[in-house]
Structure formats: C-alpha cells, structure tokens
Amino acid sequence: MTEKHRETLKEGVKSRGILVVDDDSIICEIAESILAEEGWEVRHANTTEDALKSMATMKWPVVLCDVHLPGDSGQFLQELRSSYPLTQVVMITGDPTIGTMRHAMQAGAYDYLLKPLRRDEILRVSQKALERHELILQKNELEAQNEEYRRQLEAKVDLRTDQLRISELRYRTLFDNAVDAVILLNPESGAIVELNGAAAKLIGLRSFDIHGTSIRDYVDDQLDEFLNTESHDSKVWRHPNLVLVDRERVTHILSATVSRLRTDAETLLQIVARDSSEISELSQRASLMELELMSEQRLANIGLLASGVAHNINTPLMGIYGLAQVIKMKHPDIEDIDGVIAQVERINGIIRNLMWKSRQEQERAKQDIDVNILLQEELRFLEADMEFKHNVEKEFSFSPDMPPIYGRYSDFSQSLMNIIRNALDAMYDSEVKRLTVKTDREDDDIIISIQDSGKGISPVHLAQVFQPFFTTKPAVGKSENGEPTGTGLGLSTVQKLLSPYGCKFDLDSEPGKGTTFKMIVPIAQNQPSEEDLAALEE
C-alpha cells in the first residue's frame, strides 16, 4: 500500500460534511440553509484561500464551488484534486455553456449545479457526490486490505519456501553423509534413480556416472526377486550376503535391507547396505581393544602383587642379612659368609628396584624425570626375561648432559617399554640380536635412540605404524612356534601418551637390517611452571 493511499484513507472524516465556496454570500446562505435542514454539516468560504484552509482542517468529502471565483478557480480545482483526491467537487455556474461544463469536468469536477440553486437539485447532486466519495473510500480500503493480505501471503509463501529449501538441504546432507550406502531404484527397470556418497564410494564411480545405470550392472540378478513385483507394501527384506563387484572388479559382501518407498508420484525400491568386511573389522578391533585393556588390567594387578610380594620377602631377607653379619663377627674365619652377604645384598637391590618401579607406575602426579635413570631401571627390570638377559647383545650409552623432564613417570616408562619390546620382538628369529639404547642432547631437545638388528619394516608399512590396530605380527592366539603376537596398539599408545609433551618420532628402517627408533623430546616445553613449583614446595 502506497503512502498516498494511506493518507487518502484518513480523509472523509465528516460523513455528511460539505463545503460551499462562492464569493456571493447569498449563494452560500441559500446552500447552507437547504443542506443544514437535511442534516448536513455545512461551512462556507468566499475565497479559494479560505477554502484551502478549511479543507486542511476538516477534509470535507463534498465541495460546492463556483466556477467563477476571484483568482484562478481552475488552479484551485486542480489543487483540490491533487491534495484531496477523495473529495468530490460540484461546480456551480450561472453560464451553462458546453465549454464551461467541459472545462469543469476535465479539471476533475464530479458534477455541476445551475444558478439559481434549486433545493431538490442541490440535495440530489450533493447526495450523489457523497455516495461516490464513500464508494471510492470503500474501494480504497478494500484495495488496501487486499494489498496487505497479498503482502502477508507473499511473506508466508517466502517463509515456507525457505523452510522447504532448508529442510531439503538438511535431509540431502543427511542422505549424502550417511555411513551406510543408500540406493533408490526404479522397481520396474532396476535403474538407479538416486544414491548417496557412501554408495558411490562402494561402487567406485562418481555419482553422475552411476545415475541411470542398472543395479544389475553391479549385483547381477541377486535382486530380481524384489524387482518387477506387484507388491507395494512396506515390508523390509534382509539380504545378509549381497555380492557387489566395483569398477576395479573387487568383490564386496554387503549386509543389505531392501524396502519399497511410496510417494505421491512414484514407488521406489530402497537399498540400505554396509560392507560386511567393515563390520567384521570393527568387531575385530573391539575384541583387540578388549584384550589390550584386559592385559593392561592384568599387568596392573601383577604390579600390585609384585610390590606386595617384594615387601613380604624383604622382611625375612633382612633377617638373613643380619644373621650373616653376626656370624661373620663371631666367626671371621668362615670365608663363604661374605658370598652369602653379597647375594643377600643383590636380592635386596632387585627388591628395591621392583618396589620403586611399582610406586612410580602408580604415581599419577607429574614429577622431574631423569631419562637416564628411567631407562636404566626399565632395562634392569627386563633382566627377568631370560632371552633378553642371555641372548641379546646390549649396548647402552647415556649422555651425562641430560636435564630432567617434568611429566608423569608412567607415560614415559610405558612408552619406552613398548618401543623396546617392539625392538626385541623384531629380533625374534634374527641370527644376531643386538639392542642399542642411547640418550643424547641436541640443541634444545633430548634424543632417545633405540636400535635393533631385527627384520626391519617395509617402506609400505612405515607410514602406518602409528595407526591403531595396525600390526605385522600375528594376532593374539594365532602365533606359531612361539612367534610374538601383537594388537597394533603399542605405538599408537606411545603417540597418544607423548603427544602432549610435544614429542616427535623418527623411524629409520630397512628390511633385513633392523630399525632405529628416535624419540625427540623438547626440553623447554617440559619444564615445571611457576604454579607447578609452588605446588611442589607445598
């Protein structure tokens, strides 16, 4: 609705109001008396200026105006038509010529009255002019209402269109990004009408290359029992072993469900499928994870048990040590007593190492860690492994210029033990079994190097060693001749534990010649903050 229309709706305040404009006061009095007697509210003006002032105040619906007024009466009429388009103007003339009437009508007059004024003619023409004013007013109001209704309807249509577009985009996104492959078919021809990204990836082609092709191109006749059938119910058929051959002629075994979808326009066949090999792999990974967690829990329990056993052994051992010292004092001539004391001290050292390691592994708070001491204790602990103790050549080199690392002891001990055990497993069937462990400082980094003389890692597998569940070892329970098994979680755990410390890893391996695994630990990043130091002091 335009602003002009809004203004015109405000006009016509006086339901039966009329303004008489004539420079002849007698004409004004006659018209006023006749109209007032019939219930009209009447005012008069003798000049065009007074008339315009009265119009600005009252907005009269009908104006009786003399044709010949002082000044330009034609301009006055045009101004009335421009400023008050709903007002109906009736011209009063004593010269009823065709030219005069044509001029008045062209200027916008509704009708005209002849002098002398007759009562019935004034009332008739004035009433007709008022009725025309009211009809125009009603017409404008209806047009305004229609315009408002149209605007509201367009707004609702625009809103609904946007909602439908957003809804379509939302469901299209869900469809395209679904994990399962979804394919829609024409049930009569088997032509593929629609498919999502998972289905295109499974088939090995781009979506637009697949549209319109037949599902039989990929699954042969396995779905024929569902095609060309008159059944239009909502039953879901399950196909646990649907064989699909992709563009590379690789066979996939799919677990699929087939159902019919009915829309207002058509009936479609829907296939929802998932590669069974992926399901099997997920199940296998879950089983391996469960085994790893069980193994970790078992090791934790063994650690607690070992700590308790060591504590219980330590008491009688100290008794033996004390008695041996007493015997030596009383019988210094017995030479073998020194050997007994030496062995007791050796056992006591093993027990102290076991108890110290157990306490450190259970400590969750951060502390200053001497990498050299940690490695020496872990390697000493491995002496319990007879293969490591007797059949592995060991070369250890620990740099004295090693600042401490602020972290959790178990993060580094578990990570280093995983790497060392991988090195020992790699030398399972090697003729020469040599383990080299070195520490060094290069600029602002601590370098821990673990080298073995095992079978090495192929270049194809090097990029995958940190991936969870990736392993070249036999799975647990499938080992032959005592070959070490693996879950594929060792190095992924190392990466997960040490990434918060900013550690980087460098692998250098050659099949048949062994592997060198370097762990690079930034020094500055792993120093205690002021808050850490304050907490330690407390």
Side-chain angles (χ1 to χ4, degrees):
M1 180 172 61
T2 64
E3 190 64 29
K4 186 175 181 180
H5 282 160
R6 296 180 193 277
E7 290 298 324
T8 57
L9 289 180
K10 298 178 182 178
E11 299 180 13
V13 174
K14 300 298 181 182
S15 59
R16 286 175 62 79
I18 192 166
L19 175 66
V20 180
V21 185
D22 201 311
D23 59 343
D24 189 340
S25 299
I26 296 176
I27 295 296
C28 292
E29 291 177 3
I30 293 173
E32 276 190 269
S33 62
I34 293 173
L35 291 167
E37 184 180 350
E38 292 299 322
W40 287 79
E41 182 177 350
V42 188
R43 294 286 185 278
H44 75 273
N46 297 119
T47 66
T48 57
E49 291 82 2
D50 291 342
L52 290 174
K53 291 179 181 179
S54 181
M55 285 297 300
T57 303
M58 305 298 290
K59 295 184 177 62
W60 299 97
V62 180
V63 173
L64 301 183
C65 179
D66 189 10
V67 171
H68 300 290
L69 289 172
D72 190 346
S73 59
Q75 183 179 356
F76 169 67
L77 181 58
Q78 291 178 1
E79 189 167 350
L80 280 181
R81 301 306 304 154
S82 173
S83 301
Y84 309 99
L86 293 183
T87 298
Q88 301 302 305
V89 181
V90 178
M91 305 302 294
I92 302 173
T93 180
D95 181 19
T97 62
I98 294 176
T100 301
M101 294 303 99
R102 182 184 297 113
H103 178 73
M105 301 304 288
Q106 288 176 348
Y110 167 66
D111 207 341
Y112 63 93
L113 290 171
L114 299 177
K115 296 180 180 178
L117 299 178
R118 295 194 300 271
R119 181 178 183 280
D120 57 343
E121 193 66 17
I122 290 177
L123 294 176
R124 182 185 68 80
V125 173
S126 297
Q127 183 63 35
K128 290 292 184 180
L130 179 63
E131 289 176 357
R132 187 170 190 271
H133 166 82
E134 292 176 345
L135 285 174
I136 294 174
L137 185 63
Q138 292 175 8
K139 172 179 173 291
N140 288 346
E141 289 177 347
L142 289 174
E143 288 179 350
Q145 292 175 2
N146 287 338
E147 176 68 16
E148 182 65 18
Y149 175 75
R150 185 191 64 79
R151 187 188 64 78
Q152 293 178 0
L153 185 61
E154 287 180 352
K156 289 181 179 180
V157 170
D158 290 342
L159 177 61
R160 184 57 179 161
T161 301
D162 288 341
Q163 290 174 341
L164 289 173
R165 180 180 55 81
I166 293 171
S167 177
E168 180 181 357
L169 180 62
R170 182 186 299 118
Y171 285 105
R172 183 71 203 186
T173 301
L174 290 173
F175 176 78
D176 286 339
N177 292 281
V179 175
D180 292 335
V182 183
I183 304 174
L184 300 180
L185 310 175
N186 182 318
E188 295 180 359
S189 65
I192 296 176
V193 176
E194 192 65 81
L195 76 162
N196 67 351
K201 182 178 179 181
L202 199 60
I203 293 174
L205 293 171
R206 293 171 296 184
S207 295
F208 60 82
D209 289 331
I210 301 173
H211 275 288
T213 61
S214 174
I215 190 64
R216 294 183 178 91
D217 295 341
Y218 313 105
V219 299
D220 294 329
D221 58 355
Q222 299 172 81
L223 295 177
D224 282 357
E225 60 178 306
F226 310 118
L227 299 171
N228 300 317
T229 176
E230 297 298 326
S231 175
H232 286 234
D233 56 26
S234 58
K235 179 180 178 181
V236 175
W237 297 280
R238 303 193 183 280
H239 203 306
N241 296 301
L242 184 66
V243 179
L244 179 143
V245 180
D246 64 22
R247 66 176 301 184
E248 303 295 336
R249 312 314 296 171
V250 175
T251 299
H252 302 270
I253 306 299
L254 308 182
S255 176
T257 58
V258 185
S259 59
R260 289 186 176 274
L261 297 178
R262 285 185 293 174
T263 68
D264 293 339
E266 59 186 344
T267 298
L268 299 173
L269 200 66
Q270 175 183 265
I271 302 173
V272 180
R274 178 176 294 185
D275 197 333
S276 297
S277 60
E278 292 183 3
I279 299 174
S280 176
E281 183 179 353
L282 288 174
S283 177
Q284 183 182 10
R285 290 190 176 190
S287 298
L288 288 173
M289 180 71 79
E290 184 178 358
L291 286 173
E292 183 71 13
L293 292 174
M294 290 173 61
S295 176
E296 292 293 334
Q297 183 65 40
R298 202 160 45 241
L299 289 174
N301 292 335
I302 291 173
L304 290 174
L305 179 61
S307 178
V309 170
H311 183 272
N312 292 331
I313 290 175
N314 202 41
T315 300
L317 186 64
M318 288 301 97
I320 296 172
Y321 184 75
L323 289 174
Q325 293 285 359
V326 171
I327 293 171
K328 181 177 180 180
M329 290 172 57
K330 291 183 177 181
H331 305 282
D333 56 326
I334 302 178
E335 298 179 357
D336 293 337
I337 197 68
D338 289 332
V340 173
I341 293 173
Q343 292 302 318
V344 170
E345 290 176 344
R346 183 182 177 190
I347 295 172
N348 187 47
I350 294 173
I351 291 174
R352 283 200 308 270
N353 183 50
L354 180 61
M355 295 180 69
W356 179 83
K357 178 174 172 58
S358 178
R359 284 195 302 270
Q360 293 295 333
E361 291 290 349
Q362 296 177 54
E363 178 61 55
R364 304 310 299 165
K366 287 187 174 183
Q367 58 181 294
D368 280 335
I369 302 171
D370 188 319
V371 173
N372 287 342
I373 294 177
L374 184 149
L375 274 168
Q376 290 168 19
E377 294 295 338
E378 294 297 326
L379 292 167
R380 189 178 298 118
F381 195 72
L382 279 174
E383 293 290 339
D385 185 336
M386 294 297 103
E387 177 69 17
F388 174 80
K389 184 175 182 179
H390 299 293
N391 297 329
V392 177
E393 297 178 18
K394 293 172 276 291
E395 295 180 8
F396 303 149
S397 175
F398 304 109
S399 172
D401 183 24
M402 298 292 285
I405 296 173
Y406 190 69
R408 290 189 181 91
Y409 182 92
S410 60
D411 290 346
F412 286 89
S413 64
Q414 183 178 344
S415 298
L416 288 168
M417 188 57 67
N418 283 351
I419 298 170
I420 292 172
R421 288 192 180 278
N422 274 350
L424 296 176
D425 289 346
M427 298 187 293
Y428 163 70
D429 55 357
S430 298
E431 293 184 6
V432 177
K433 300 179 181 181
R434 183 183 303 108
L435 177 70
T436 303
V437 179
K438 294 180 180 180
T439 61
D440 199 0
R441 177 174 180 172
E442 294 182 4
D443 298 327
D444 297 324
D445 297 320
I446 291 174
I447 310 296
I448 303 172
S449 176
I450 300 170
Q451 182 179 8
D452 65 68
S453 59
K455 59 184 179 181
I457 306 171
S458 70
V460 177
H461 294 151
L462 267 178
Q464 300 173 278
V465 294
F466 289 105
Q467 293 179 5
F469 304 105
F470 174 79
T471 181
T472 57
K473 303 174 188 177
V476 177
K478 297 185 178 180
S479 173
E480 296 181 1
N481 302 320
E483 185 179 359
T485 60
T487 61
L489 294 173
L491 291 183
S492 66
T493 302
V494 171
Q495 189 178 54
K496 181 177 180 181
L497 289 175
L498 299 186
S499 290
Y501 298 94
C503 290
K504 297 180 181 178
F505 308 98
D506 181 23
L507 275 76
D508 182 15
S509 185
E510 185 176 349
K513 294 187 178 181
T515 301
T516 300
F517 191 109
K518 287 185 179 181
M519 192 169 76
I520 305 166
V521 187
I523 298 172
Q525 182 177 336
N526 296 293
Q527 299 303 307
S529 63
E530 294 182 0
E531 292 79 4
D532 294 327
L533 293 173
L536 289 174
E537 290 177 0
E538 293 177 359

